[in-house]
Amino acid sequence: WMVSIAVFLSGASNDLVGKLVGVWFPISTFVAIGLEHSVANLFIMPAAMLLKANLTWGNIMFRNVIPVLLGNAVAGAFVVAASYSYQFGRLGGNTPAEKLEKYEQKTVASKIEVTSRLPAH
């Protein structure tokens, strides 16, 4: 789920520095605590086999790739999606109609504020 957070933070930023910082911390944490990533393992495990490591295709698939893939999928889908749904969506009680109403209220309030600052002619 750390990789999912990195992708989301990168997409949420508008400038390059924000994107780099948004990706750097989750990925650094991911690597530092030794989590597994299914796509990375699809490269590392066959490379280890080429270097004569004591691995079989069965070990790679059933003891690493499949459990890691399932773990990544579950954590990415439920931890990241549920947290954002709680923050911005239905799990947090924010329905699309409520969000639209809040947006319209902010828009009207900002228009009133801007118009009140304009000089009178």
Side-chain angles (χ1 to χ4, degrees):
W1 65 274
M2 300 291 283
V3 174
S4 298
I5 295 241
V7 170
F8 183 83
L9 290 175
S10 174
S13 179
N14 292 327
D15 61 345
L16 180 62
V17 173
K19 289 180 183 296
L20 292 174
V21 170
V23 169
W24 179 261
F25 288 108
I27 297 300
S28 297
T29 304
F30 177 85
V31 171
I33 61 180
L35 294 176
E36 301 277 339
H37 190 268
S38 56
V39 176
N41 290 349
L42 290 174
F43 168 76
I44 291 172
M45 295 298 175
M49 286 181 73
L50 289 173
L51 295 172
K52 306 293 186 216
N54 188 17
L55 290 173
T56 65
W57 286 108
N59 284 344
I60 291 173
M61 291 307 293
F62 294 111
R63 295 183 73 196
N64 192 289
V65 173
I66 292 173
V68 169
L69 180 66
L70 292 174
N72 289 166
V74 168
F78 292 109
V79 174
V80 174
S83 65
Y84 282 103
S85 179
Y86 181 77
Q87 182 68 28
F88 304 111
R90 292 179 190 256
L91 287 179
N94 297 320
T95 62
E98 290 173 347
K99 288 172 30 176
L100 179 61
E101 184 179 331
K102 289 178 188 176
Y103 175 76
E104 288 174 346
Q105 288 173 354
K106 285 181 186 177
T107 305
V108 168
S110 66
K111 284 181 183 177
I112 291 171
E113 182 181 337
V114 168
T115 354
S116 65
R117 291 184 184 180
L118 291 174
H121 290 283

